[in-house]
Amino acid sequence: MEFPKDFLFGAATAAYQVEGAWDKDGKGVSNWDVFSKIEGKTYQGTNGDVAIDHYHRYKEDIALMAEMGLDSYRFSISWTRIYPNGDGKINQKGLDFYNDLINECLKYNIIPFVTLYHWDLPQKLEKNGGWTAERTLKAFEQYADTCFKAFGDRVKHWITFNETIVFARHGYIFGAHPPGRLNDFKNYYQVLHNVFLTHAKVVLNFKHSGYQGDIGITHVFNPAFPADDKLSSKKAADHANMFDTFLYYDPILKGTYPEYVLTHLKQKGYDFDLSQEDQETLLKAVPLNDFIGLNYYQPMRVVANESNASRELSREASTGGAGAVSYDGVYKTVSLPSLSYTKWGWEISPEALLDGLHLLKEHYGNIPIYITENGLGDEDPVIDGEIKDTLRIEYIKDHLAFLKKGIQEGIELKGYFAWSAIDLLSWLNGYKKQYGFIYVDHQNHLNRKKKDSFYWYQEVIATRGENL
Ligand code: BGP
């Protein structure tokens, strides 16, 4: 079987991880421009000041993507290029850059799939309370509308937010992303709600203003499974799914929050402001979402945390490997000898992706889904100048094969975006952890080179995945 004709084979990046040019052409300062320069926050002090210089080399990069045959390129817009201060004056040169980027994609019939917020918040807004402050929520609505107006004639696929759970949790509980708060649970839950409410308002505006196209949100997807057959592990997995999946998907797909979560938050004193009006807004937006984006890397194998241990807070502990106590102390993730893992300790399980998709279907019915990220972070072997990323090929091949099975089993899958189109900056792991089909030589003027996976993905796209 081939993948459906309108299924999008794509690849993704995010502005801060590729663009560089952090202070060029009127761009304002983002929270990541500041945070990445605080000692000890990122791997070997790496930051996105230059990144892979996609800002200046996007034509070369998009030509390579076109050669690979991508149907679509998922990239994000840097808010501070458009509004240097978050709100206030628009920077025309920022609009120009994204107009050029979008036009370059269209020149090759590559569909631009645009994320409005992939974590780089204007520093002015961060300083003023970030996602806890009303001003940020209003500013995002305005920024989103500006993008719809400026690019909406050509961009027909919009993602509002990338992985709210990750930027909120790392920002307010682990201190690993800006604003670098530790164990600020109260604000953590408030930020989640603020973001979901803002998403709902943006979706309502998009549809009511008559913009044409599809709009949705992207969540990280870490379905939890009990690591053994103990009842306590089963309960731990249910709890994990409530707090790591349904808490994020329910407000978007049902317009409510899970009772189980709300009750827990009340008991702990972490309940957030949820007015009648907010609830109505969430509900009204539900049917207007055109899709949901899932970033899937790994599932969680969990047991109950019976030791009273809490999560160790370090940069390493926040990069996602198994073997950590959950952020709320209730469960632990474990690694099992029978399973396989990446060099960074992330489990490799295409089966769990499909099981997870069925879990979502049970809860929400059939919803159009894009896999907006999936891929292997590795240190790719270079042999005689060739980048032999065989493990990446295996990884993506297996995941695509399970997705094909998913389509046959009735999951409404609309596309797949590999993370990432090209090697880029990992937020906390520097340039060491590579994900791309295209290699970037940091020793040699950031030169681009096609990896083995480049040719492999090219063939997959050309044959519409028939041989997977
Ligand atoms: C997702 C982010 C991406 C990317 C990816 C890989 O959570 O949306 O931006 O960074 O994870 O993560 P890492 O670079 O930590 O391996």
Side-chain angles (χ1 to χ4, degrees), residues 17 118 162-163 297 346 373 419 426-427 429 433 435:
Q17 298 178 275
H118 203 127
N162 181 70
E163 296 189 353
Y297 291 89
W346 294 20
E373 287 180 28
W419 185 266
S426 163
W427 301 92
N429 299 287
K433 193 177 190 184
Y435 279 97

Side-chain angles (χ1 to χ4, degrees), residues 64-89:
L64 283 164
M65 293 181 209
E67 186 185 334
M68 205 170 15
L70 292 194
D71 296 324
S72 182
Y73 172 36
R74 175 184 174 225
F75 59 87
S76 78
I77 293 181
S78 168
W79 186 345
T80 49
R81 286 200 197 284
I82 311 289
Y83 284 101
N85 295 321
D87 48 19
K89 229 175 143 270

Side-chain angles (χ1 to χ4, degrees), residues 349-369:
S349 180
E351 300 86 346
L353 169 58
L354 184 53
D355 291 344
L357 289 171
H358 281 296
L359 182 79
L360 287 187
K361 197 174 170 191
E362 272 166 36
H363 271 258
Y364 303 111
N366 222 353
I367 33 166
I369 290 175

Side-chain angles (χ1 to χ4, degrees), residues 13-14 17 74 118-119 162-163 166 177 218 220 295 297 318-320 344 346 373 375-377 419-420 424-430 433 435:
T13 65
Q17 298 178 275
R74 175 184 174 225
H118 203 127
W119 306 352
N162 181 70
E163 296 189 353
V166 175
H177 282 196
T218 275
V220 69
N295 291 351
Y297 291 89
S318 56
T319 57
W344 270 263
W346 294 20
E373 287 180 28
L376 176 71
W419 185 266
S420 49
L424 42 68
L425 173 69
S426 163
W427 301 92
L428 302 178
N429 299 287
K433 193 177 190 184
Y435 279 97

Side-chain angles (χ1 to χ4, degrees), residues 107-412:
K107 182 169 124 187
Y108 298 103
N109 289 322
I110 295 175
I111 294 171
F113 213 108
V114 176
T115 308
L116 290 167
Y117 187 76
H118 203 127
W119 306 352
D120 46 347
L121 181 70
Q123 176 65 9
K124 280 261 163 63
L125 296 177
E126 185 73 278
K127 264 177 52 192
N128 186 55
W131 287 108
T132 66
E134 184 66 25
R135 177 175 160 195
T136 304
L137 318 188
K138 285 269 152 300
F140 184 82
E141 282 180 59
Q142 181 188 38
Y143 154 65
D145 192 65
T146 300
C147 291
F148 299 151
K149 271 205 185 79
F151 314 126
D153 57 332
R154 287 150 295 146
V155 173
K156 302 296 174 194
H157 298 82
W158 297 95
I159 294 169
T160 54
F161 292 93
N162 181 70
E163 296 189 353
T164 312
I165 176 173
V166 175
F167 72 80
R169 196 176 285 178
H170 283 66
Y172 286 84
I173 297 182
F174 300 150
H177 282 196
R181 300 266 188 86
L182 285 177
N183 292 324
D184 186 352
F185 286 90
K186 184 86 184 159
N187 273 311
Y188 168 61
Y189 292 109
Q190 188 65 55
V191 163
L192 295 182
H193 175 60
N194 291 350
V195 170
F196 296 145
L197 187 64
T198 306
H199 163 80
K201 288 183 178 170
V202 168
V203 167
L204 285 161
N205 171 50
F206 183 82
K207 295 292 176 184
H208 293 159
S209 303
Y211 295 114
Q212 298 299 308
D214 288 354
I215 189 163
I217 192 169
T218 275
H219 285 332
V220 69
F221 189 44
N222 299 125
F225 302 93
D228 52 39
D229 48 21
K230 285 192 196 154
L231 184 61
S232 58
S233 304
K234 157 95 178 64
K235 281 190 177 158
D238 289 346
H239 177 92
N241 280 328
M242 277 295 169
F243 274 83
D244 289 293
T245 297
F246 303 131
L247 167 58
Y248 308 95
Y249 292 67
D250 275 19
I252 310 296
L253 299 171
K254 289 183 167 175
T256 53
Y257 288 95
E259 265 321 309
Y260 177 89
V261 172
L262 293 181
T263 309
H264 262 69
L265 298 190
K266 217 177 185 108
Q267 281 165 2
K268 298 244 175 190
Y270 298 152
D271 42 335
F272 49 87
D273 301 333
L274 177 63
S275 67
Q276 187 63 34
E277 197 187 331
D278 291 359
Q279 295 185 47
E280 281 162 18
T281 305
L282 288 177
L283 272 173
K284 271 193 243 156
V286 170
L288 303 180
N289 282 290
D290 295 295
F291 64 86
I292 188 143
L294 308 185
N295 291 351
Y296 174 82
Y297 291 89
Q298 58 170 340
M300 294 191 287
R301 310 288 169 185
V302 308
V303 296
N305 173 32
E306 278 150 358
S307 67
N308 267 343
S310 57
R311 181 159 181 147
E312 184 201 331
L313 296 166
S314 66
R315 191 186 59 77
E316 282 73 20
S318 56
T319 57
V325 173
S326 64
Y327 76 105
D328 61 0
V330 175
Y331 62 93
K332 285 191 294 198
T333 54
V334 293
S335 45
L336 302 172
S338 55
L339 303 173
S340 50
Y341 295 88
T342 72
K343 218 175 247 178
W344 270 263
W346 294 20
E347 188 191 329
I348 302 176
S349 180
E351 300 86 346
L353 169 58
L354 184 53
D355 291 344
L357 289 171
H358 281 296
L359 182 79
L360 287 187
K361 197 174 170 191
E362 272 166 36
H363 271 258
Y364 303 111
N366 222 353
I367 33 166
I369 290 175
Y370 287 94
I371 302 299
T372 40
E373 287 180 28
N374 173 247
L376 176 71
D378 203 4
E379 285 178 278
D380 298 330
V382 183
I383 302 168
D384 297 332
E386 300 298 314
I387 300 102
K388 300 270 162 212
D389 57 341
T390 321
L391 292 177
R392 177 163 305 105
I393 295 174
E394 288 303 312
Y395 182 102
I396 297 179
K397 183 174 22 166
D398 293 345
H399 284 78
L400 278 172
F402 271 87
L403 289 176
K404 196 183 205 181
K405 194 158 177 260
I407 294 174
Q408 285 162 336
E409 291 169 5
I411 307 281
E412 202 181 330

